[in-house]
Amino acid sequence: MQQQQQKAERGERSRSPRGRTVAVHEVVTPSKPAQPVQEIQTPPKVHHSSTVFAPQAAVPVELQRLKAYVVNLDRRADRWARCEALLQKETPWLEYERFSASDGSKMAIPEEEICTVWNTRKKGNYGDYDEWVYDAPGTERDCVPWRWKGQEPADDDREWSFVVDNDNCDAAMVTNKLTKDTFKVKKVFAERYRNPGQDQKMSGGERGCAHSHRRLWEIVAQRNQPTMILEDDVQFCFEASEPKLGWNDGGVFTERLILALREAPKDWEVLYLGWSGWRGGNYCILEEKCCGKAVRKAEYVWTTVAYIMTPVAARKLLALARPMDQPVDEFMAWEASQGRLKSFVVTSEGDGDDVWAGGIASQTDFLGDSDIPKSDGGMQGDDVTSFAI
């Protein structure tokens, strides 16, 4: 994930999908179906022995009493070693603790806490469910789905040629290289994913991820201060959205976080440190101005790789998550979009209004090393249709 790897480490920091370039959460190539779950009895506990305390003299005033929990599967010691080395080098001021994640592939996740089936209706208002359909008016094949956006044949495909219309990027001509047969396709939104919505089976990895965050919210709710939650693939060192600015690092992370905490309204509840999606300067439905320099209002943003949450927000989400009825990032995004969660994104210096994914944190090996098959699609290569019920 050198240039290709950099893009992946930025969580594929592309531009907005509507009228610009590709979306981060588009439906792409199929993957293996979810593996059967081997049940065990109880979720793992927090390893308190992993807590590392930063010298208080080295902690910036605005960040004092801020603590981070790092979600990490017991079987991924490699990820923990990488993440701990990152924290010690880039943010030596930050107190952190390893949090043993719920392994959805090996344990029983309570259905009263995390659902097993979810519906895409809510996500459909914001998600990128675009697909190519046959453009054949007057025939039975007209508007029949052909392929998802992102599954178009490559230039070197041996069977198919795919040529986008020069005057209309939502139209294309497809040719079978062997038979020379041709047909037209057009790109449309798959309305069935919004109305009535598609029931999807949540993968074991998704349920484990959601359960891990829900368990952490229980800890956050009992604390007196905001808490930072990190996933073990978090990265602070990556190429800035504006290449002229060079690379972000722990110094940039710390400086921008301080600016964000100073600028955020007093009643903020969630700060996304890494994000992709709809936010101030690039809203999907909201019609209001947002001129923040270090923070922007979150309308509907994805990823839970790095965020800060207040006890108020944790208690709100715990009250609503009975059970959590979507993958965790969709669940949080929906509550923000409905005005029930006061969420904001933290921006890096180069994150202009046309940037689809940004922030002061990213993900390491986003495309090549995920433990979570995604029923909501995404750039990891998971096929939403394989989870359909």
Side-chain angles (χ1 to χ4, degrees), residues 314-335:
R315 289 191 284 268
K316 279 186 180 181
L317 292 175
L318 287 169
L320 292 166
R322 298 180 179 179
M324 191 184 303
D325 61 356
Q326 298 181 85
V328 61
D329 55 346
E330 307 283 359
F331 180 76
M332 293 174 64
W334 177 254
E335 294 306 315

Side-chain angles (χ1 to χ4, degrees), residues 61-175:
V61 174
E62 293 84 355
L63 305 180
Q64 289 180 2
R65 303 182 68 183
L66 180 63
K67 180 177 180 177
Y69 287 90
V70 183
V71 182
N72 171 247
L73 288 167
D74 291 345
R75 56 184 168 86
R76 294 307 304 264
D78 58 323
R79 285 194 173 203
W80 170 244
R82 184 210 64 84
C83 189
E84 182 167 42
L86 173 77
L87 295 173
Q88 291 178 349
K89 179 181 179 181
E90 301 296 334
T91 54
W93 52 266
L94 180 62
E95 176 189 344
Y96 63 87
E97 179 173 331
R98 179 184 177 273
F99 184 85
S100 184
S102 301
D103 195 335
S105 67
K106 296 183 178 181
M107 63 175 290
I109 305 294
E111 292 189 29
E112 63 271 19
E113 295 181 357
I114 310 296
C115 71
T116 58
V117 176
W118 67 287
N119 187 277
T120 62
R121 177 180 57 83
K122 295 174 181 177
K123 174 188 171 69
N125 291 281
Y126 299 93
D128 188 20
Y129 287 114
D130 287 346
E131 62 182 348
W132 293 98
V133 301
Y134 289 97
D135 186 7
T139 71
E140 294 182 353
R141 197 161 64 165
D142 188 44
C143 293
V144 173
W146 179 61
R147 295 190 182 188
W148 289 107
K149 188 185 79 171
Q151 290 184 332
E152 302 88 347
D155 292 340
D156 60 353
D157 190 280
R158 293 185 177 183
E159 184 177 5
W160 299 103
S161 168
F162 183 84
V163 181
V164 176
D165 191 299
N166 290 330
D167 299 321
N168 181 4
C169 63
D170 292 333
M173 179 69 72
V174 182
T175 302

Side-chain angles (χ1 to χ4, degrees), residues 335-348:
E335 294 306 315
S337 73
Q338 301 306 295
R340 293 189 288 263
L341 192 64
K342 298 174 182 177
S343 300
F344 298 82
V345 300
V346 177
T347 61
S348 193

